[in-house]
Amino acid sequence: MQEEIRFATFNTLNLAPPGAQLYDNLVPITPEEYEAKLAWTARQVDLLNADVIGFQEIFSQAVLKEVLARTQRYREAAHVGFDPDPHASRLTPSVALVSRLPLAAPGQAFSLFPDNVAMPPGSRDPDRFTRAPLHAAIEIAPGVTVDVIVVHLKSRRPDYRSSDSGEDPHLYALACLRSLIRRGTEATALRVLLTDMAHAHRRPRIVMGDFNDVADSVTTEIVLGEGTPPADRMYDAFRVQRQQDNGRDVGFSILHDRRHTTIDHILVSPEFNHALPDAIGEVTDVVYLNDHLNLGLPEASDHGQVLARLRLFPRADGFRTGAD
């Protein structure tokens, strides 16, 4: 039985076909740039060597499949993902999941918020996520199924209205506020989904992806479930890892304006917090693959990848027992 299970999250940065117009201010990628990006992404996926990988900024699931075909370790892996609506007014990226472990059920995208969550009146798309979270039930060991959710919450990019100008400080502040409200609403919707999932399935959960905010932000703490009953809580894998070395903290996932920040996270449910009595496993360590951020490679992602290694505790009389 495989006792170490590896989970990773990977924001690919605009994984799309050559020539695709993604944003008004972004020149479409050339065939040569496309080849370089696919080669780099495939090498990075193999380097992660994770059992389950969550991807963000996938503009084409077919391009992701081409990446997997170029890897050494993931050619036979299960791929779960849904392309953006081709009839939408603008093309938006989606998320995806790749697993070398068996799926217990088909994957599912949550486009709409739960019934009791909505944006303020007058908001655009008040009832849905900017990028739909993706859920897959994965069998990580015989008799142990984990609900894995891949997310990409709303960015900090100001949400301007059509007539707004970024040169006006007042309009800039309001646009930033709209982005924050949307990200907070998405975090709340995700928290409701996680709570409902915990009560419905009563099995471990892992959430991973680009949260577009740091671990101790209000929005991330909403997803973590600060103040909720212990069984509904989530925990930042970095903070509950067994082998954490506070004297050597080089963990960051983005480099912006010379600031190193972590906005890509892996969260685990109480079953993987070794400090809790009913844990079935633990996070042994969390690794950040971020050297490329300092190298400035044009084909590379602008995010580092986050890898969490989990260890399942040995079984005793048919049940998993806690550590030591």
Side-chain angles (χ1 to χ4, degrees):
M1 180 188 68
Q2 181 178 340
E3 289 199 352
E4 180 182 277
I5 313 296
R6 298 158 68 100
F7 291 85
T9 181
F10 190 160
N11 184 317
T12 61
L13 178 60
N14 299 335
L15 193 65
Q21 183 65 56
L22 307 183
Y23 301 106
D24 293 339
N25 62 346
L26 185 66
V27 177
I29 190 172
T30 67
E32 294 76 18
E33 292 169 335
Y34 175 78
E35 287 297 321
K37 184 169 185 63
L38 260 59
W40 180 87
T41 306
R43 287 195 300 270
Q44 203 73 358
V45 169
D46 273 333
L47 183 61
L48 281 169
N49 193 24
D51 297 292
V52 183
I53 306 177
F55 293 91
Q56 300 85 45
E57 296 204 18
I58 307 298
F59 280 89
S60 168
Q61 299 293 334
V63 174
L64 178 56
K65 290 180 180 178
E66 177 62 25
V67 168
L68 300 177
R70 298 187 182 204
T71 66
Q72 298 297 316
R73 304 177 187 271
Y74 295 88
R75 295 176 183 175
E76 305 299 324
H79 166 221
V80 181
F82 304 93
D83 275 321
D85 181 2
H87 304 293
S89 58
R90 59 191 177 93
L91 187 62
T92 57
S94 59
V95 302
L97 179 143
V98 171
S99 177
R100 298 187 300 199
L101 299 174
L103 302 180
Q108 177 185 10
F110 293 101
S111 299
L112 299 177
F113 293 153
D115 290 340
N116 55 344
V117 179
M119 290 283 292
S123 301
R124 291 183 295 196
D125 299 324
D127 61 346
R128 65 190 60 236
F129 289 94
T130 307
R131 293 166 285 255
L134 183 66
H135 166 248
I138 298 176
E139 185 178 335
I140 65 171
V144 182
T145 297
V146 173
D147 288 307
V148 180
I149 302 93
V150 182
V151 303
H152 188 179
L153 300 186
K154 174 68 178 73
S155 71
R156 295 189 180 191
R157 184 178 295 111
D159 182 8
Y160 290 113
R161 293 299 178 251
S162 58
S163 60
D164 289 355
S165 169
E167 298 177 357
D168 186 322
H170 176 65
L171 295 179
Y172 172 79
L174 289 175
C176 290
L177 176 60
R178 282 191 288 267
S179 289
L180 176 59
I181 292 172
R182 177 164 291 280
R183 187 167 63 257
T185 306
E186 291 184 348
T188 302
L190 182 57
R191 163 44 45 195
V192 173
L193 289 173
L194 286 168
T195 301
D196 291 346
M197 200 173 290
H199 295 174
H201 303 310
R202 300 191 180 277
R203 57 195 184 196
R205 290 151 291 145
I206 291 179
V207 182
M208 54 186 180
D210 181 352
F211 287 68
N212 268 308
D213 225 331
V214 296
D216 59 355
S217 67
V218 172
T219 57
T220 306
E221 288 187 345
I222 288 173
V223 181
L224 288 167
E226 297 282 350
T228 60
D232 295 336
R233 281 283 312 273
M234 301 294 292
Y235 298 86
D236 179 8
F238 178 79
R239 295 183 178 179
V240 299
Q241 61 180 307
R242 171 71 77 169
Q243 301 176 14
Q244 185 168 349
D245 183 356
N246 292 324
R248 187 180 178 276
D249 181 6
V250 294
F252 63 91
S253 69
I254 61 168
L255 175 58
H256 181 67
D257 290 340
R258 300 185 179 181
R259 292 184 298 173
H260 298 79
T261 310
T262 299
I263 63 174
D264 302 87
H265 309 291
I266 298 177
L267 313 182
V268 298
S269 59
E271 290 86 352
F272 296 114
N273 184 344
H274 69 270
L276 301 179
D278 295 326
I280 66 170
E282 64 182 358
V283 180
T284 57
D285 63 354
V286 177
V287 179
Y288 296 82
L289 279 65
N290 50 27
D291 287 346
H292 59 278
L293 298 180
N294 293 312
L295 297 176
L297 303 174
E299 66 271 22
S301 172
D302 60 347
H303 285 242
Q305 291 75 60
V306 184
L307 171 69
R309 298 194 294 185
L310 278 60
R311 182 179 73 91
L312 299 178
F313 296 145
R315 289 181 181 270
D317 298 328
F319 296 93
R320 295 192 180 278
T321 59
D324 303 329

